[in-house]
Amino acid sequence: MPVNQMRVAMLSAHSCPVGKLGTKDTGGMSVYIRELACELARRGHFVDVYTRVHDPKDGQIYEFCQNARLIHLGAGEDEEIQKLAVYSYLPDFARNLESFRKNNSLEYDLIFSHYWLSGVAGTYLQPWWRVPHITMFHTLGAVKNAVKEEAYLSLGEDDPELRIETEKSLVQQCHHIIAPTEKEKEALVGHYGASSEKISVVPCGVNLEQFRVLDKAQARQHLGFGDDKIVLCVGRIDPLKGVDKLIRALPHLRDISGLKLVVIGGGEDSQAEIEQLRRLARNLGMEDAVAFLGLVKHEQLPHFYNAADVCVVPSYYESFGLVALESLACGTPVVATDVGNHRMVIRQGETGYVVRDNAPRGLADKIALLLARPSSDKKSALLIRASVSEFGWSRIAEAVIRDCRRVMANYLAPVS
Ligand code: UDP
């Protein structure tokens, strides 16, 4: 093994990092794992990402970048199961991972778990391997519940006490936590009593080669968009994403001719929610102004961001929020709520607006302001893109690697 090479076991038990983005349980975290793993691999590190088998047709090993493999492990039924149901299979998941490791004579220097379920699997593996365990929560149950309580609305069921208690104990058990924003770090300290020395803040990134400025007219032509004013919304279909609030903003924008809201995201598993949103648009008399396109492949999204005039992220909560970053990297301004990374990546009045909350009137006002700007040219798009150039995955990976090395250097394996 080269002296500086790290051998990392990444855990993504419930959600497959190469799964369909935009379905209920597959979004930003999968992008994060894939991009980070490939960046680590490119630097000569060895990364295995372990996930649960979710389809009997899955091959066991899939090399998604040179030196980075995805490994499917049996744990429970070989099919998609409810996220929470994965919890009871985590001991099997950890045991099967250990058998795979032994049978293949693998050794790891580090466990890097993603989301609380994988964090639990990490705590099973850690005493067997005696290596440091770094975790990233991606969302926090206690924050989600607080947001739902504050909104006084039904934003889906509360996250169970099991999750809250598990996250609380994970912050004590793991050796280090990576939080994507200062806000998330404060939440870890405030809600779970995490020690702030254990937490580093490293933002998420964007693939700057993939998400780049294209010719707007060509992007529109490619998608058959014509001359409409396009407002874009991209994400999993989840009440916390606040898409209903954006639809409610449309009547305030009635005077803008040719305005179209394009909503991307939501697979087979989200049809009921999409129908509900469609009904809302119909009741507001705005049905013709909204198009639900369902899932769009990540590789195709740059065309949509480039074709759009404004991208809106009306979420009640984001741990980070990749969509805003992707849109800005494509040179399209963003209106977004004051959650996740939005205040960090959007320059108020220049590259978009951060609004206090997702009240429809406030969203509409800022969308109208951006649509009233003289028609966007390539130069202004490039300026918007330049504002997020520091968020390329390469830099983010370097920061994560620094953290990993520091944690490994400070780790004292227990004496047996
Ligand atoms: N996404 C996609 N196709 C879709 C919907 C979403 O590729 O149909 C991607 C989107 O581009 C982004 C990710 O899914 O990279 C969503 O990440 P974000 O951080 O915005 O939200 P999360 O899913 O983590 O709540």
CSV table of all heavy atoms in Angstrom, one decimal, residues 274-328:
chain,number,residue,atom,x,y,z
A,274,ILE,N,-47.4,14.2,-6.3
A,274,ILE,CA,-47.4,15.0,-7.5
A,274,ILE,C,-48.8,15.3,-7.9
A,274,ILE,O,-49.2,16.5,-8.2
A,274,ILE,CB,-46.6,14.3,-8.6
A,274,ILE,CG1,-45.1,14.3,-8.3
A,274,ILE,CG2,-46.9,15.1,-10.0
A,274,ILE,CD1,-44.2,13.7,-9.3
A,275,GLU,N,-49.7,14.3,-7.7
A,275,GLU,CA,-51.1,14.5,-8.1
A,275,GLU,C,-51.7,15.6,-7.2
A,275,GLU,O,-52.5,16.5,-7.6
A,275,GLU,CB,-51.9,13.2,-8.0
A,275,GLU,CG,-53.2,13.2,-8.6
A,275,GLU,CD,-53.3,13.9,-10.0
A,275,GLU,OE1,-52.5,13.7,-10.9
A,275,GLU,OE2,-54.2,14.8,-10.1
A,276,GLN,N,-51.3,15.6,-5.9
A,276,GLN,CA,-51.8,16.6,-5.0
A,276,GLN,C,-51.4,18.0,-5.4
A,276,GLN,O,-52.1,18.9,-5.3
A,276,GLN,CB,-51.3,16.2,-3.6
A,276,GLN,CG,-52.2,16.5,-2.4
A,276,GLN,CD,-51.6,16.0,-1.1
A,276,GLN,OE1,-50.8,15.0,-1.2
A,276,GLN,NE2,-51.9,16.6,0.0
A,277,LEU,N,-50.1,18.1,-5.8
A,277,LEU,CA,-49.6,19.4,-6.2
A,277,LEU,C,-50.3,19.9,-7.5
A,277,LEU,O,-50.6,21.0,-7.7
A,277,LEU,CB,-48.1,19.3,-6.4
A,277,LEU,CG,-47.2,19.1,-5.2
A,277,LEU,CD1,-45.8,18.8,-5.5
A,277,LEU,CD2,-47.3,20.3,-4.3
A,278,ARG,N,-50.6,18.9,-8.4
A,278,ARG,CA,-51.3,19.2,-9.6
A,278,ARG,C,-52.7,19.8,-9.3
A,278,ARG,O,-53.1,20.8,-9.9
A,278,ARG,CB,-51.4,18.0,-10.5
A,278,ARG,CG,-51.2,18.2,-11.9
A,278,ARG,CD,-51.6,16.9,-12.7
A,278,ARG,NE,-50.6,15.9,-12.6
A,278,ARG,CZ,-49.5,15.8,-13.4
A,278,ARG,NH1,-49.3,16.7,-14.3
A,278,ARG,NH2,-48.6,14.8,-13.2
A,279,ARG,N,-53.3,19.1,-8.3
A,279,ARG,CA,-54.6,19.5,-7.9
A,279,ARG,C,-54.6,21.0,-7.3
A,279,ARG,O,-55.5,21.8,-7.6
A,279,ARG,CB,-55.2,18.6,-6.8
A,279,ARG,CG,-56.7,18.5,-6.9
A,279,ARG,CD,-57.3,17.3,-6.2
A,279,ARG,NE,-56.5,16.8,-5.0
A,279,ARG,CZ,-56.0,15.6,-4.9
A,279,ARG,NH1,-56.2,14.7,-5.9
A,279,ARG,NH2,-55.4,15.2,-3.8
A,280,LEU,N,-53.6,21.2,-6.5
A,280,LEU,CA,-53.4,22.6,-6.0
A,280,LEU,C,-53.3,23.6,-7.1
A,280,LEU,O,-54.0,24.7,-7.1
A,280,LEU,CB,-52.2,22.6,-5.1
A,280,LEU,CG,-51.7,24.0,-4.6
A,280,LEU,CD1,-52.8,24.6,-3.6
A,280,LEU,CD2,-50.4,23.9,-3.8
A,281,ALA,N,-52.5,23.3,-8.1
A,281,ALA,CA,-52.3,24.3,-9.2
A,281,ALA,C,-53.7,24.5,-9.9
A,281,ALA,O,-54.0,25.6,-10.3
A,281,ALA,CB,-51.3,23.7,-10.2
A,282,ARG,N,-54.4,23.4,-10.1
A,282,ARG,CA,-55.7,23.4,-10.7
A,282,ARG,C,-56.7,24.3,-9.9
A,282,ARG,O,-57.3,25.2,-10.5
A,282,ARG,CB,-56.3,22.0,-10.9
A,282,ARG,CG,-57.4,21.9,-11.9
A,282,ARG,CD,-57.9,20.4,-12.0
A,282,ARG,NE,-56.8,19.5,-12.2
A,282,ARG,CZ,-56.7,18.3,-11.5
A,282,ARG,NH1,-57.6,18.0,-10.6
A,282,ARG,NH2,-55.6,17.5,-11.7
A,283,ASN,N,-56.7,24.1,-8.6
A,283,ASN,CA,-57.6,24.9,-7.8
A,283,ASN,C,-57.2,26.4,-7.8
A,283,ASN,O,-58.1,27.3,-7.6
A,283,ASN,CB,-57.5,24.4,-6.3
A,283,ASN,CG,-58.2,23.0,-6.2
A,283,ASN,OD1,-58.9,22.6,-7.1
A,283,ASN,ND2,-57.8,22.3,-5.1
A,284,LEU,N,-56.0,26.7,-8.0
A,284,LEU,CA,-55.6,28.1,-8.1
A,284,LEU,C,-55.7,28.7,-9.5
A,284,LEU,O,-55.4,29.8,-9.7
A,284,LEU,CB,-54.1,28.2,-7.7
A,284,LEU,CG,-53.8,27.9,-6.2
A,284,LEU,CD1,-52.2,27.8,-6.0
A,284,LEU,CD2,-54.3,29.0,-5.3
A,285,GLY,N,-56.2,27.8,-10.4
A,285,GLY,CA,-56.4,28.3,-11.8
A,285,GLY,C,-55.0,28.4,-12.5
A,285,GLY,O,-54.9,29.2,-13.5
A,286,MET,N,-54.0,27.7,-12.0
A,286,MET,CA,-52.7,27.9,-12.6
A,286,MET,C,-52.2,26.6,-13.2
A,286,MET,O,-51.0,26.4,-13.5
A,286,MET,CB,-51.7,28.3,-11.5
A,286,MET,CG,-52.0,29.6,-10.8
A,286,MET,SD,-52.2,31.0,-11.9
A,286,MET,CE,-50.6,31.2,-12.6
A,287,GLU,N,-53.1,25.7,-13.5
A,287,GLU,CA,-52.7,24.3,-14.0
A,287,GLU,C,-51.8,24.4,-15.2
A,287,GLU,O,-50.8,23.7,-15.4
A,287,GLU,CB,-53.9,23.5,-14.3
A,287,GLU,CG,-53.6,22.1,-14.4
A,287,GLU,CD,-54.8,21.2,-14.8
A,287,GLU,OE1,-55.9,21.8,-15.1
A,287,GLU,OE2,-54.7,20.0,-14.7
A,288,ASP,N,-52.2,25.4,-16.1
A,288,ASP,CA,-51.4,25.4,-17.4
A,288,ASP,C,-50.1,26.1,-17.2
A,288,ASP,O,-49.2,26.0,-18.1
A,288,ASP,CB,-52.2,26.3,-18.4
A,288,ASP,CG,-53.5,25.6,-18.8
A,288,ASP,OD1,-53.6,24.4,-18.6
A,288,ASP,OD2,-54.4,26.3,-19.4
A,289,ALA,N,-49.8,26.7,-16.1
A,289,ALA,CA,-48.5,27.3,-15.8
A,289,ALA,C,-47.5,26.4,-15.2
A,289,ALA,O,-46.4,26.8,-14.9
A,289,ALA,CB,-48.7,28.6,-15.0
A,290,VAL,N,-47.9,25.1,-14.9
A,290,VAL,CA,-47.0,24.2,-14.2
A,290,VAL,C,-46.8,22.9,-15.0
A,290,VAL,O,-47.8,22.4,-15.5
A,290,VAL,CB,-47.6,23.8,-12.8
A,290,VAL,CG1,-46.5,23.1,-12.0
A,290,VAL,CG2,-48.0,25.0,-12.0
A,291,ALA,N,-45.6,22.5,-15.1
A,291,ALA,CA,-45.3,21.2,-15.8
A,291,ALA,C,-44.5,20.4,-14.8
A,291,ALA,O,-43.5,20.8,-14.3
A,291,ALA,CB,-44.5,21.4,-17.0
A,292,PHE,N,-45.0,19.2,-14.5
A,292,PHE,CA,-44.3,18.2,-13.7
A,292,PHE,C,-43.6,17.2,-14.6
A,292,PHE,O,-44.2,16.4,-15.3
A,292,PHE,CB,-45.2,17.5,-12.8
A,292,PHE,CG,-45.9,18.3,-11.7
A,292,PHE,CD1,-47.1,18.9,-12.0
A,292,PHE,CD2,-45.3,18.6,-10.5
A,292,PHE,CE1,-47.7,19.7,-11.0
A,292,PHE,CE2,-45.9,19.4,-9.6
A,292,PHE,CZ,-47.1,20.0,-9.9
A,293,LEU,N,-42.3,17.3,-14.6
A,293,LEU,CA,-41.5,16.4,-15.5
A,293,LEU,C,-41.0,15.1,-14.9
A,293,LEU,O,-40.4,14.3,-15.6
A,293,LEU,CB,-40.3,17.2,-16.1
A,293,LEU,CG,-40.6,18.5,-16.8
A,293,LEU,CD1,-39.4,19.0,-17.6
A,293,LEU,CD2,-41.8,18.4,-17.8
A,294,GLY,N,-41.2,15.0,-13.6
A,294,GLY,CA,-40.7,13.7,-13.0
A,294,GLY,C,-39.2,13.7,-12.9
A,294,GLY,O,-38.6,14.8,-12.9
A,295,LEU,N,-38.6,12.5,-12.8
A,295,LEU,CA,-37.2,12.4,-12.7
A,295,LEU,C,-36.5,12.8,-13.9
A,295,LEU,O,-36.9,12.5,-15.0
A,295,LEU,CB,-36.8,10.9,-12.4
A,295,LEU,CG,-37.4,10.2,-11.2
A,295,LEU,CD1,-36.9,8.8,-11.1
A,295,LEU,CD2,-37.0,11.0,-9.9
A,296,VAL,N,-35.4,13.5,-13.7
A,296,VAL,CA,-34.5,13.9,-14.9
A,296,VAL,C,-33.1,13.4,-14.4
A,296,VAL,O,-32.7,13.7,-13.3
A,296,VAL,CB,-34.5,15.4,-15.2
A,296,VAL,CG1,-33.4,15.8,-16.1
A,296,VAL,CG2,-35.9,15.8,-15.7
A,297,LYS,N,-32.4,12.8,-15.3
A,297,LYS,CA,-31.0,12.3,-15.0
A,297,LYS,C,-30.1,13.5,-14.6
A,297,LYS,O,-30.2,14.5,-15.3
A,297,LYS,CB,-30.5,11.5,-16.1
A,297,LYS,CG,-31.1,10.2,-16.3
A,297,LYS,CD,-30.1,9.2,-16.9
A,297,LYS,CE,-30.6,7.8,-16.8
A,297,LYS,NZ,-31.2,7.3,-18.1
A,298,HIS,N,-29.3,13.3,-13.7
A,298,HIS,CA,-28.3,14.3,-13.2
A,298,HIS,C,-27.6,14.9,-14.4
A,298,HIS,O,-27.4,16.1,-14.6
A,298,HIS,CB,-27.4,13.7,-12.2
A,298,HIS,CG,-26.9,14.7,-11.2
A,298,HIS,ND1,-25.6,14.7,-10.8
A,298,HIS,CD2,-27.5,15.6,-10.5
A,298,HIS,CE1,-25.4,15.7,-9.9
A,298,HIS,NE2,-26.6,16.2,-9.7
A,299,GLU,N,-27.2,14.0,-15.3
A,299,GLU,CA,-26.4,14.4,-16.5
A,299,GLU,C,-27.2,15.4,-17.4
A,299,GLU,O,-26.6,16.1,-18.2
A,299,GLU,CB,-25.9,13.2,-17.4
A,299,GLU,CG,-25.2,12.1,-16.6
A,299,GLU,CD,-26.1,11.2,-15.8
A,299,GLU,OE1,-26.9,10.5,-16.4
A,299,GLU,OE2,-26.0,11.3,-14.6
A,300,GLN,N,-28.5,15.2,-17.4
A,300,GLN,CA,-29.3,16.1,-18.2
A,300,GLN,C,-29.7,17.4,-17.6
A,300,GLN,O,-30.1,18.4,-18.3
A,300,GLN,CB,-30.7,15.3,-18.5
A,300,GLN,CG,-30.5,14.1,-19.4
A,300,GLN,CD,-30.0,14.5,-20.8
A,300,GLN,OE1,-30.3,15.6,-21.4
A,300,GLN,NE2,-29.1,13.8,-21.3
A,301,LEU,N,-29.5,17.5,-16.3
A,301,LEU,CA,-30.0,18.7,-15.6
A,301,LEU,C,-29.3,20.0,-16.0
A,301,LEU,O,-30.0,21.1,-16.0
A,301,LEU,CB,-29.8,18.5,-14.1
A,301,LEU,CG,-30.9,17.8,-13.4
A,301,LEU,CD1,-30.7,17.6,-11.9
A,301,LEU,CD2,-32.3,18.5,-13.6
A,302,PRO,N,-28.0,20.0,-16.4
A,302,PRO,CA,-27.4,21.3,-16.9
A,302,PRO,C,-28.3,21.9,-18.0
A,302,PRO,O,-28.4,23.2,-18.0
A,302,PRO,CB,-26.0,20.9,-17.4
A,302,PRO,CG,-25.7,19.7,-16.5
A,302,PRO,CD,-27.0,18.9,-16.3
A,303,HIS,N,-28.9,21.2,-18.9
A,303,HIS,CA,-29.7,21.8,-19.9
A,303,HIS,C,-30.9,22.5,-19.3
A,303,HIS,O,-31.2,23.6,-19.7
A,303,HIS,CB,-30.3,20.7,-20.8
A,303,HIS,CG,-29.3,20.0,-21.6
A,303,HIS,ND1,-28.5,20.6,-22.6
A,303,HIS,CD2,-28.8,18.7,-21.6
A,303,HIS,CE1,-27.7,19.7,-23.2
A,303,HIS,NE2,-27.8,18.6,-22.5
A,304,PHE,N,-31.5,22.0,-18.2
A,304,PHE,CA,-32.6,22.6,-17.6
A,304,PHE,C,-32.2,23.9,-16.8
A,304,PHE,O,-32.9,24.9,-16.9
A,304,PHE,CB,-33.3,21.6,-16.7
A,304,PHE,CG,-34.1,20.5,-17.4
A,304,PHE,CD1,-33.5,19.4,-17.8
A,304,PHE,CD2,-35.4,20.7,-17.7
A,304,PHE,CE1,-34.2,18.4,-18.5
A,304,PHE,CE2,-36.1,19.8,-18.5
A,304,PHE,CZ,-35.5,18.6,-18.9
A,305,TYR,N,-31.1,23.8,-16.1
A,305,TYR,CA,-30.7,25.0,-15.4
A,305,TYR,C,-30.3,26.1,-16.3
A,305,TYR,O,-30.6,27.2,-16.1
A,305,TYR,CB,-29.4,24.6,-14.5
A,305,TYR,CG,-29.7,23.8,-13.3
A,305,TYR,CD1,-29.0,22.6,-13.1
A,305,TYR,CD2,-30.6,24.2,-12.3
A,305,TYR,CE1,-29.2,21.8,-12.0
A,305,TYR,CE2,-30.8,23.4,-11.1
A,305,TYR,CZ,-30.1,22.2,-11.0
A,305,TYR,OH,-30.3,21.4,-9.9
A,306,ASN,N,-29.7,25.7,-17.5
A,306,ASN,CA,-29.3,26.7,-18.4
A,306,ASN,C,-30.5,27.3,-19.1
A,306,ASN,O,-30.6,28.5,-19.5
A,306,ASN,CB,-28.3,26.2,-19.5
A,306,ASN,CG,-26.9,26.3,-19.0
A,306,ASN,OD1,-26.3,27.3,-19.1
A,306,ASN,ND2,-26.4,25.2,-18.4
A,307,ALA,N,-31.5,26.5,-19.4
A,307,ALA,CA,-32.7,27.0,-20.1
A,307,ALA,C,-33.6,27.9,-19.2
A,307,ALA,O,-34.4,28.7,-19.7
A,307,ALA,CB,-33.6,25.8,-20.6
A,308,ALA,N,-33.5,27.7,-17.8
A,308,ALA,CA,-34.3,28.4,-16.9
A,308,ALA,C,-33.9,29.9,-16.7
A,308,ALA,O,-32.7,30.2,-16.9
A,308,ALA,CB,-34.3,27.7,-15.6
A,309,ASP,N,-34.9,30.7,-16.4
A,309,ASP,CA,-34.6,32.1,-16.1
A,309,ASP,C,-34.3,32.3,-14.6
A,309,ASP,O,-33.4,33.1,-14.2
A,309,ASP,CB,-35.8,33.0,-16.4
A,309,ASP,CG,-36.0,33.0,-17.9
A,309,ASP,OD1,-35.2,33.6,-18.6
A,309,ASP,OD2,-37.0,32.4,-18.4
A,310,VAL,N,-34.9,31.5,-13.8
A,310,VAL,CA,-34.7,31.5,-12.3
A,310,VAL,C,-34.9,30.1,-11.8
A,310,VAL,O,-35.8,29.4,-12.3
A,310,VAL,CB,-35.8,32.4,-11.6
A,310,VAL,CG1,-35.5,32.5,-10.1
A,310,VAL,CG2,-36.0,33.7,-12.2
A,311,CYS,N,-34.1,29.7,-10.8
A,311,CYS,CA,-34.3,28.5,-10.1
A,311,CYS,C,-34.8,28.8,-8.7
A,311,CYS,O,-34.3,29.7,-8.1
A,311,CYS,CB,-33.0,27.7,-10.1
A,311,CYS,SG,-33.1,26.1,-9.2
A,312,VAL,N,-35.8,28.1,-8.2
A,312,VAL,CA,-36.3,28.4,-6.9
A,312,VAL,C,-36.2,27.2,-6.0
A,312,VAL,O,-36.5,26.1,-6.4
A,312,VAL,CB,-37.8,28.8,-6.9
A,312,VAL,CG1,-38.3,29.3,-5.5
A,312,VAL,CG2,-38.0,30.0,-7.9
A,313,VAL,N,-35.7,27.4,-4.8
A,313,VAL,CA,-35.6,26.4,-3.8
A,313,VAL,C,-36.4,26.8,-2.5
A,313,VAL,O,-35.9,27.5,-1.7
A,313,VAL,CB,-34.1,26.1,-3.4
A,313,VAL,CG1,-34.0,24.8,-2.5
A,313,VAL,CG2,-33.2,25.9,-4.6
A,314,PRO,N,-37.7,26.4,-2.5
A,314,PRO,CA,-38.6,26.9,-1.4
A,314,PRO,C,-38.6,26.1,-0.2
A,314,PRO,O,-39.6,26.1,0.5
A,314,PRO,CB,-39.9,26.9,-2.2
A,314,PRO,CG,-39.8,25.8,-3.1
A,314,PRO,CD,-38.4,25.6,-3.5
A,315,SER,N,-37.5,25.4,0.1
A,315,SER,CA,-37.6,24.3,1.2
A,315,SER,C,-37.7,24.9,2.6
A,315,SER,O,-37.2,26.0,2.9
A,315,SER,CB,-36.2,23.6,1.2
A,315,SER,OG,-36.0,23.1,-0.1
A,316,TYR,N,-38.4,24.1,3.4
A,316,TYR,CA,-38.5,24.5,4.9
A,316,TYR,C,-37.1,24.1,5.5
A,316,TYR,O,-36.8,24.7,6.5
A,316,TYR,CB,-39.5,23.6,5.5
A,316,TYR,CG,-40.9,24.0,5.2
A,316,TYR,CD1,-41.6,23.5,4.1
A,316,TYR,CD2,-41.6,24.9,6.0
A,316,TYR,CE1,-42.9,23.8,3.8
A,316,TYR,CE2,-42.9,25.3,5.7
A,316,TYR,CZ,-43.6,24.7,4.6
A,316,TYR,OH,-44.9,25.1,4.3
A,317,TYR,N,-36.5,23.1,5.0
A,317,TYR,CA,-35.2,22.6,5.6
A,317,TYR,C,-34.3,22.0,4.5
A,317,TYR,O,-34.8,21.3,3.7
A,317,TYR,CB,-35.5,21.6,6.7
A,317,TYR,CG,-34.3,20.9,7.3
A,317,TYR,CD1,-33.2,21.6,7.7
A,317,TYR,CD2,-34.3,19.5,7.4
A,317,TYR,CE1,-32.1,20.9,8.3
A,317,TYR,CE2,-33.2,18.8,8.0
A,317,TYR,CZ,-32.1,19.6,8.4
A,317,TYR,OH,-31.0,18.9,9.0
A,318,GLU,N,-33.1,22.3,4.5
A,318,GLU,CA,-32.1,21.6,3.8
A,318,GLU,C,-30.9,21.5,4.7
A,318,GLU,O,-30.6,22.4,5.4
A,318,GLU,CB,-31.6,22.4,2.6
A,318,GLU,CG,-32.6,22.7,1.5
A,318,GLU,CD,-32.9,21.5,0.6
A,318,GLU,OE1,-32.1,20.5,0.6
A,318,GLU,OE2,-33.9,21.5,-0.1
A,319,SER,N,-30.2,20.3,4.7
A,319,SER,CA,-29.0,20.2,5.4
A,319,SER,C,-27.9,21.0,4.7
A,319,SER,O,-27.2,21.8,5.3
A,319,SER,CB,-28.6,18.8,5.5
A,319,SER,OG,-27.3,18.6,5.9
A,320,PHE,N,-27.9,20.9,3.4
A,320,PHE,CA,-27.0,21.8,2.6
A,320,PHE,C,-27.8,22.4,1.4
A,320,PHE,O,-28.0,23.5,1.4
A,320,PHE,CB,-25.8,20.9,2.1
A,320,PHE,CG,-24.8,21.8,1.4
A,320,PHE,CD1,-23.9,22.6,2.1
A,320,PHE,CD2,-24.7,21.8,0.0
A,320,PHE,CE1,-23.0,23.4,1.5
A,320,PHE,CE2,-23.8,22.6,-0.6
A,320,PHE,CZ,-22.9,23.4,0.1
A,321,GLY,N,-28.2,21.5,0.5
A,321,GLY,CA,-29.0,22.1,-0.6
A,321,GLY,C,-28.1,22.2,-1.9
A,321,GLY,O,-27.6,23.3,-2.2
A,322,LEU,N,-28.0,21.1,-2.6
A,322,LEU,CA,-27.1,21.1,-3.8
A,322,LEU,C,-27.7,21.8,-5.0
A,322,LEU,O,-27.0,22.4,-5.8
A,322,LEU,CB,-26.8,19.6,-4.3
A,322,LEU,CG,-25.9,18.8,-3.3
A,322,LEU,CD1,-25.8,17.4,-3.9
A,322,LEU,CD2,-24.6,19.5,-3.2
A,323,VAL,N,-29.0,21.9,-5.0
A,323,VAL,CA,-29.7,22.4,-6.2
A,323,VAL,C,-29.3,23.9,-6.5
A,323,VAL,O,-29.0,24.3,-7.6
A,323,VAL,CB,-31.2,22.2,-6.1
A,323,VAL,CG1,-31.9,23.1,-7.1
A,323,VAL,CG2,-31.6,20.8,-6.4
A,324,ALA,N,-29.3,24.7,-5.4
A,324,ALA,CA,-28.9,26.1,-5.6
A,324,ALA,C,-27.5,26.2,-6.2
A,324,ALA,O,-27.3,27.0,-7.1
A,324,ALA,CB,-28.9,26.8,-4.2
A,325,LEU,N,-26.6,25.4,-5.7
A,325,LEU,CA,-25.2,25.4,-6.2
A,325,LEU,C,-25.1,25.0,-7.6
A,325,LEU,O,-24.4,25.6,-8.4
A,325,LEU,CB,-24.4,24.5,-5.3
A,325,LEU,CG,-22.9,24.7,-5.1
A,325,LEU,CD1,-22.6,26.1,-4.8
A,325,LEU,CD2,-22.4,23.8,-3.9
A,326,GLU,N,-25.9,24.0,-8.0
A,326,GLU,CA,-25.9,23.5,-9.4
A,326,GLU,C,-26.4,24.6,-10.3
A,326,GLU,O,-25.8,24.8,-11.4
A,326,GLU,CB,-26.7,22.2,-9.5
A,326,GLU,CG,-26.1,21.0,-8.8
A,326,GLU,CD,-27.0,19.8,-8.7
A,326,GLU,OE1,-28.2,19.9,-9.0
A,326,GLU,OE2,-26.6,18.8,-8.2
A,327,SER,N,-27.5,25.2,-9.9
A,327,SER,CA,-28.0,26.3,-10.7
A,327,SER,C,-27.1,27.4,-10.9
A,327,SER,O,-26.8,27.9,-12.1
A,327,SER,CB,-29.3,26.8,-10.1
A,327,SER,OG,-29.9,27.8,-10.9
A,328,LEU,N,-26.5,27.9,-9.8
A,328,LEU,CA,-25.5,29.0,-9.9
A,328,LEU,C,-24.3,28.6,-10.8
A,328,LEU,O,-23.8,29.4,-11.6
A,328,LEU,CB,-25.0,29.4,-8.5
A,328,LEU,CG,-26.1,30.0,-7.6
A,328,LEU,CD1,-25.6,30.1,-6.2
A,328,LEU,CD2,-26.6,31.3,-8.1
